[in-house]
Amino acid sequence: MGALWIAHVTVTDSDAYGKYAELAGPAIAKHGGEFIARGGRFVQLEGKERPRNVVARFPSVDAAVDCYNSPEYQAALNHARGASERELMVVETTD
């Protein structure tokens, strides 16, 4: 089954977070991830609002978790730490 990588983000340092985004995209693609929503319009209905929301589709939960733990993504993530407040989850799809 496929999986969705869902991130809710408040950017606190746009320069550092820009470097994260520059490196994260190729790392996600390398692991079979494809962005389906990236910072577009949203309506917050419940919970804490984050102004940046990203959804990527992966072939499986394992592929998404392997991406997160990969050296390429961890190198990108070093730029996001301290430059953002984030929640990230991987959810298995029903397809």
Side-chain angles (χ1 to χ4, degrees):
M1 287 194 182
L4 297 178
W5 164 306
I6 304 169
H8 305 290
V9 184
T10 300
V11 175
T12 58
D13 179 339
S14 58
D15 291 338
Y17 201 81
K19 184 65 174 171
Y20 158 78
E22 179 182 316
L23 297 172
I28 288 168
K30 179 178 179 178
H31 290 86
E34 172 189 6
F35 290 105
I36 59 174
R38 199 171 187 183
R41 180 177 176 254
F42 72 97
V43 176
Q44 185 74 29
L45 298 175
E46 292 186 21
K48 182 172 181 163
E49 180 174 303
R50 298 279 187 195
R52 182 165 178 78
N53 299 281
V54 178
V55 180
R57 181 182 302 120
F58 280 83
S60 67
V61 169
D62 290 341
V65 173
D66 288 346
C67 175
Y68 181 84
N69 291 318
S70 72
E72 300 88 359
Y73 186 77
Q74 288 297 308
L77 192 55
N78 283 334
H79 296 282
R81 291 185 179 112
S84 62
E85 298 171 7
R86 341 171 343 124
E87 288 86 34
L88 174 65
M89 69 181 75
V90 174
V91 178
E92 188 171 61
T93 62
T94 58
D95 55 0

